[in-house]
C-alpha cells in the first residue's frame, strides 16, 4: 500500500452549490468588466492611431483576444482570486490585464498610454518589465500554462517541507489559456508529469473561443479535451451556455435550439456571430421552423436581441462564470472550459481573421458612443458606467486579490559555505560535479536544505547519484525503494518521500526548464528561496530551448549542468554530440555559461554560481561539463586565480612578453592543447597557453569594456603577445565560440572546433577527424605563425 501523508491545510471537498453573488456585487463586476473591455480596446487604438509613429510600423495589439477573456478575467481578478493565488494570463489578453490593474490602481495611465512603447505596458505580460503585478510572464504560447503546473508542484514541495509559513493557505496556480494553446505539445508533457506528481491547487481556465491566429480551430480537438483531462485526474467544468440561452432552452421546443447549437460546427457558429441577428434568423428558420416554440422565440426577438441570445455563452455571463469558479472549493486540479466569442462586443466578433484585427477610427467612434464614454474622458476609470463612482471605488478597494499589496516576496540570500575541491589524479568535470554534490549532501545546514536537484531521467548518468542516495527523491507520498527492500543490489537508492530533495522528471526537456523556472522563482512567488540545479545532456538543451529562454525571460534563477557534451562523448555518436550549445551560452540573455576543464576550476565556479543565482542583479548559470577524465593540475588556487577563473580566462602557461604564438583552449580539449604547447615550446620560445573557462563572460566583458573605452580582460591577457602574433583557438564546439578573440587584439587567428555532425569513435579518432587533436593544433599554429610573419611585414 502507498501511504499518503496527510497535509492538513489542503481542503477536501467537491464542487459546491453556492449562493449567487448579490445583485449589487454582480452589477459592479459587470460594470467594471465593461470598463476593462473599453480600456483594453482604447489602449490599443490609442497606440495605433493616436500616438505619433516614427518608424511607420503598425504597433498592433489584440482587441479580439482581450474581449474574449473580459468576463473571465474580471471575475478572476476582481472577485475570485486571493492574494496567495498566482496567475499566468494568456499572452494576447495583456491589454485587458493592464486595464484591470489600472482599475485596481496598480497600473499607471502613463504606462497604458505607452502600451507597446519603450517603458510602457508590455505587449505580453512580463514579470521583469511590468513588475510585481505579473506573476508569470507569457508570450510563447503553451509555456505559461505549463509553468503553473510546475509552480503548484513547487508550492507542495515547500509546504510539505514546512519551508512556507504553515498559516498561509495554499494558493491556486491559475492559467488563463487560449484554446489554441492546447495544441502545444508541452501542455501534454506537463499533464503527464503532473499526474505522476499528483499536483494540486491548479486551475486552467480555457478561453474557448474556437479561434486561433489563422482561423477557426478544428471541431474535433475539443471533442477529446474533456476525456483527456479527466484521464489525468482533472475535474473538467464546462461553462457552455449563459442564462439567457438556458432560459430559452427551458421553453417549449427549447431543446431543439440546444441541439442545434450543440451540433453547429465551430466555423458556422463563428460566421453567424459575425453576421449577426439576420444570419441567425435565416439559419434557424431554415432548420427549425417546424417547431412552434422556436418560431415564438424568433418572433419575440428582433435582430439585435436574437444576436444577444445566440451569443449568450457562459464565458460571457458573469453570473455563470462566478458560479463555476466559486463552485470549486477543493484542491483537485480543474480545467474550466469556458465557451466565449473572440472579439465579443466588438464589430469583428467571430470573424475568423480577427486575431490581429483593429477597429478603425469610425468603428471606434461608434463603440465609444455605445460605451457612453464622452470625448476627452477615454482614460477615466468610471465614465459611461451606470453605477456611482464611489460605489465602484469602494468595490475595488475591497478586492481580495489586491488585499495584501506587494505580491512579490524578497527572502534574504542563503549563505554559501566553502566547497572543497574533489581530489584525484584523473577526473572529469562531470565526476567532480557529482562528488561535490555528494559532499554537499552530507551537510546539515540551511544551505544544503535549500538545494534541490531535478533531471529528466538522466539523474544517474549526469552523476547526481551520490546526492540522491543521501537526500532522497521528492514525492508527496512515502514510497520505499522496492529493489532495496527485496535486497536486490543496486548502487542507487530510489526511496521517495516529502523530505526528498531531488525531483525526478520523465524525459521531457520542456518540463525540466519549466520546473526550473518554477523552482527558480520560489523565492519571489512563495517567499522561500531554493537553490535549484537541473541536469541534462548538453545536446538536449536545444530540445527545450524555448522553455529555457522562457524561464530566463522571467528571471528565474537556477544552475543548469549539461553533461556529457561535445564530440568528447565519443562512442555515443552524432545524435548525442553537442556542437552549438556554447554559442547558446554566449548569446542567451539571463544565463552565464562556463566550460571548465579541471575540478578545481569547477569548484570555484560552482561556489560563485550559488551566490550569483541569489544576487538581485544576478543570472542563472550554465555549466557545460564532460565525461572525459583529464589529468588534474597540482596547484592551490589563490584568490587572484579564482577571480580569473570566474572572469573567464587565465594563462595556464604564461607567454613571454611579446610572444609569437599562443594557444587558447576551452574545456575537455585541455590535454591536447597542453600537448601541443609542450611540442611547440622548443620551436617557439615564449609561447603561451590560455585557459578559457567562460567564452561567455570574456566576450561580455570585452564588449562592456569597449563601450566605455576601457581595456578588456581578454585584451589585457592577449597584450602579452606581440601585435600580429599567431593565436590558435580550440574547443570541442563550434569554432565561433572562440574565434571572436581574433578581434580583441591584432592576431593571426586559426579557429579550430567542430562544425559538422559527429560520429561514433574514440577520442583520438574523433579529435583527429574533426581537427581538434594536438597535431591539428600544431599544424594550425605553424600555418598561423607563417601567416603572422607575412601579416606584420605588410606595410
Ligand atoms: C510558441 C508560439 N507560436 C506562435 C505564436 C503566435 N501566436 C500568437 S497567438 C496565436 C494563436 C492564439 O490562439 P488562442 O490561444 O486560441 O488565443 P485567443 O484566441 O484567445 O487569442 C499564435 C499562433 C506564439 N505566440 N507562440
Ligand atoms: Mg482562441
Amino acid at each position: 500500500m502507498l501511504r499518503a501523508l496527510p497535509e492538513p491545510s489542503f481542503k477536501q471537498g467537491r464542487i459546491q452549490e453556492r449562493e449567487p453573488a448579490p445583485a449589487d456585487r454582480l452589477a459592479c463586476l459587470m460594470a467594471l468588466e465593461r470598463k476593462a473591455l473599453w480600456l483594453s480596446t482604447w489602449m490599443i487604438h490609442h497606440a495605433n492611431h493616436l500616438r505619433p509613429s516614427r518608424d511607420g510600423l503598425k504597433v498592433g495589439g489584440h482587441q479580439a483576444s482581450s474581449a474574449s477573456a473580459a468576463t473571465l478575467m474580471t471575475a478572476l481578478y476582481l472577485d475570485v482570486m486571493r492574494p496567495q493565488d498566482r496567475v499566468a494570463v494568456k499572452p494576447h489578453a495583456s491589454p485587458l490585464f493592464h486595464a484591470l490593474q489600472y482599475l485596481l490602481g496598480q497600473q499607471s495611465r502613463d504606462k497604458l498610454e505607452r502600451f507597446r512603447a519603450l517603458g510602457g505596458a508590455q505587449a505580453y505580460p512580463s514579470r521583469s518589465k511590468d513588475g510585481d503585478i505579473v506573476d508569470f510572464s507569457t508570450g510563447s504560447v503553451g509555456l505559461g500554462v505549463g509553468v503553473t503546473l510546475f509552480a503548484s508542484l513547487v508550492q507542495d514541495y515547500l509546504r510539505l517541507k514546512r519551508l512556507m509559513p504553515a498559516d498561509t493557505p495554499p494558493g491556486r496556480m491559475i492559467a488563463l489559456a487560449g484554446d489554441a494553446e492546447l495544441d502545444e505539445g508541452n501542455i501534454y508533457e506537463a499533464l503527464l508529469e503532473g499526474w505522476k506528481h499528483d499536483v494540486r491547487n491548479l486551475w486552467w481556465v480555457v478561453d474557448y473561443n474556437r479561434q486561433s491566429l489563422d482561423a477557426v480551430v478544428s471541431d474535433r480537438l475539443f471533442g477529446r479535451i474533456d476525456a483527456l483531462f479527466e484521464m489525468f485526474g482533472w475535474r473538467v467544468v464546462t461553462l457552455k451556455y449563459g442564462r439567457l440561452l438556458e432560459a430559452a432552452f427551458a421553453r417549449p421546443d427549447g431543446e431543439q435550439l440546444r441541439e442545434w447549437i450543440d451540433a453547429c460546427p465551430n466555423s458556422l457558429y463563428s460566421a453567424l456571430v459575425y453576421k449577426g441577428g439576420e444570419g441567425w434568423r435565416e439559419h434557424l428558420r431554415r432548420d427549425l421552423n417546424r417547431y412552434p416554440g422556436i418560431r415564438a422565440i424568433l418572433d419575440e426577438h428582433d435582430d439585435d436581441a436574437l444576436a444577444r441570445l445566440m451569443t449568450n455563452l457562459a464565458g460571457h455571463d458573469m453570473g455563470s462564470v462566478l458560479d463555476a469558479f466559486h463552485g470549486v472549493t477543493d484542491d483537485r486540479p480543474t480545467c474550466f472550459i469556458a465557451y466565449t466569442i473572440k472579439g465579443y462586443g466588438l464589430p469583428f466578433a467571430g470573424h475568423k481573421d480577427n486575431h490581429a484585427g483593429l477597429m478603425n477610427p469610425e468603428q471606434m467612434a461608434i463603440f465609444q458612443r455605445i460605451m457612453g464614454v464622452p470625448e476627452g474622458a477615454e482614460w477615466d476609470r468610471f465614465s459611461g458606467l451606470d453605477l456611482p463612482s464611489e460605489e465602484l471605488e469602494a468595490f475595488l478597494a475591497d478586492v481580495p486579490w489586491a488585499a495584501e499589496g506587494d505580491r512579490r516576496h524578497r527572502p534574504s540570500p542563503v549563505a554559501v559555505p566553502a566547497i572543497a575541491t574533489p581530489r584525484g589524479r584523473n577526473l572529469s568535470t562531470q565526476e567532480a560535479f557529482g562528488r561535490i554534490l555528494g559532499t554537499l549532501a552530507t551537510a546539515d545546514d540551511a544551505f544544503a536544505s535549500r538545494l534541490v536537484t531535478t533531471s529528466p531521467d538522466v539523474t544517474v548518468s549526469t552523476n547526481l547519484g551520490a546526492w540522491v542516495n543521501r537526500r532522497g527523491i521528492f514525492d508527496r507520498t512515502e514510497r520505499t525503494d522496492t529493489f532495496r527492500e527485496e535486497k536486490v543490489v543496486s548502487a542507487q537508492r530510489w526511496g521517495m518521500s516529502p523530505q526528498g530533495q531531488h525531483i525526478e522528471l520523465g524525459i521531457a526537456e520542456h518540463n525540466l526548464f519549466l520546473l526550473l523556472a518554477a523552482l527558480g522563482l520560489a523565492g519571489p512567488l512563495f517567499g522561500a528561496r531554493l537553490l535549484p540545479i537541473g541536469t541534462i545532456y548538453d545536446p538536449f538543451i536545444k530540445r527545450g530551448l524555448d522553455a529555457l529562454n522562457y524561464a530566463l525571460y522571467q528571471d528565474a534563477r537556477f544552475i543548469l549542468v549539461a553533461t556529457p557534451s561535445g564530440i568528447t562523448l565519443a562512442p555515443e555518436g552524432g545524435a548525442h554530440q553537442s556542437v552549438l550549445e556554447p554559442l547558446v551560452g554566449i548569446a542567451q540573455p539571463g544565463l552565464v555559461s562556463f566550460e571548465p576543464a579541471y575540478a578545481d576550476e569547477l569548484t570555484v565556479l560552482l561556489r560563485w554560481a550559488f551566490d550569483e543565482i541569489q544576487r538581485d542583479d544576478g543570472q542563472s548559470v550554465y555549466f557545460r561539463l564532460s565525461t572525459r577524465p583529464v589529468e588534474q593540475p597540482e596547484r592551490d588556487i589563490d584568490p587572484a586565480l579564482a577571480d580569473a577563473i570566474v572572469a573567464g580566462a587565465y594563462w595556464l602557461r604564461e607567454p613571454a612578453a611579446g610572444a609569437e604564438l599562443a594557444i587558447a583552449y576551452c574545456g575537455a580539449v585541455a590535454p591536447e592543447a597542453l600537448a601541443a604547447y609542450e611540442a611547440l615550446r622548443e620551436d617557439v620560445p615564449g609561447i603561451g597557453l590560455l585557459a578559457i573557462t567562460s567564452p561567455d563572460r570574456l566576450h561580455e566583458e570585452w564588449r562592456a569594456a569597449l563601450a566605455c573605452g576601457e581595456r578588456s580582460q581578454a585584451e589585457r591577457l592577449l597584450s602579452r603577445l606581440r601585435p600580429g602574433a599567431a593565436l590558435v583557438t580550440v574547443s570541442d564546439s563550434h569554432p565561433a565560440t572562440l574565434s571572436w578573440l581574433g578581434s580583441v587584439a591584432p592576431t593571426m587567428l586559426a579557429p579550430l572546433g567542430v562544425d559538422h555532425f559527429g560520429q561514433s569513435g574514440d577520442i583520438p579518432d574523433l579529435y583527429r577527424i574533426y581537427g581538434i587533436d594536438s597535431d591539428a593544433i600544431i599544424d594550425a599554429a605553424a600555418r598561423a605563425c607563417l601567416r603572422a610573419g607575412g601579416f606584420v611585414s605588410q606595410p
Side-chain angles (χ1 to χ4, degrees), residues 17 26 80 94 110 138 193 209 212 236 349 377 385-386 402 475 504 509 525 531-532 548 693 713 715 790:
E17 287 300 321
L26 200 61
V80 176
S94 182
D110 173 59
T138 52
E193 202 60 58
N209 59 28
S212 57
V236 175
L385 302 182
D386 50 12
D475 200 280
E504 180 71 5
E509 285 70 20
L525 286 179
L531 304 167
L548 170 63
T693 50
Q713 146 103 339
E715 191 181 346

Side-chain angles (χ1 to χ4, degrees), residues 376-461:
E378 289 87 355
W379 297 107
D380 280 9
R381 283 160 78 230
F382 306 125
S383 64
L385 302 182
D386 50 12
L387 290 180
S389 304
E390 309 79 65
E391 192 180 332
L392 293 168
E393 203 72 81
F395 178 91
L396 285 165
D398 220 22
V399 162
W401 179 78
E404 283 177 13
D406 196 355
R407 298 180 56 70
R408 224 169 263 185
H409 302 276
R410 290 169 176 83
S412 24
V414 181
V416 182
I419 299 176
T421 300
R423 294 289 162 202
R425 204 174 136 70
N426 282 293
L427 277 180
S428 69
T429 44
Q430 176 180 310
E431 190 182 346
F433 164 70
R435 290 228 227 140
I436 292 171
L437 267 260
T439 308
L440 291 177
T442 60
D444 183 23
D445 55 17
F447 174 79
S449 74
R450 298 300 170 128
L451 281 174
V452 50
T453 58
T454 180
S455 186
D457 201 24
V458 290
T459 299
V460 176
S461 49

Side-chain angles (χ1 to χ4, degrees), residues 34 186 333 415 432 512 561 615 720 755:
R34 187 179 156 94
N186 83 274
L512 171 73
V561 174
R615 262 192 280 275
R720 292 286 298 169
D755 61 2

Side-chain angles (χ1 to χ4, degrees), residues 68 90 178-181 207-213 217 342:
S68 128
K90 69 168 190 176
D179 47 351
E181 292 201 68
D207 179 352
Y208 184 40
N209 59 28
R210 299 165 306 288
Q211 282 184 248
S212 57
L213 189 158
V217 302
K342 192 153 173 170

Side-chain angles (χ1 to χ4, degrees), residues 353-376:
D353 304 336
N354 68 10
H355 182 77
L358 298 176
M359 280 193 268
N360 62 31
E362 294 73 45
Q363 290 171 321
M364 197 65 197
I366 297 170
F367 186 59
Q368 183 162 3
R369 268 201 303 283
I370 296 171
M371 287 281 156
V373 176
E375 229 171 280

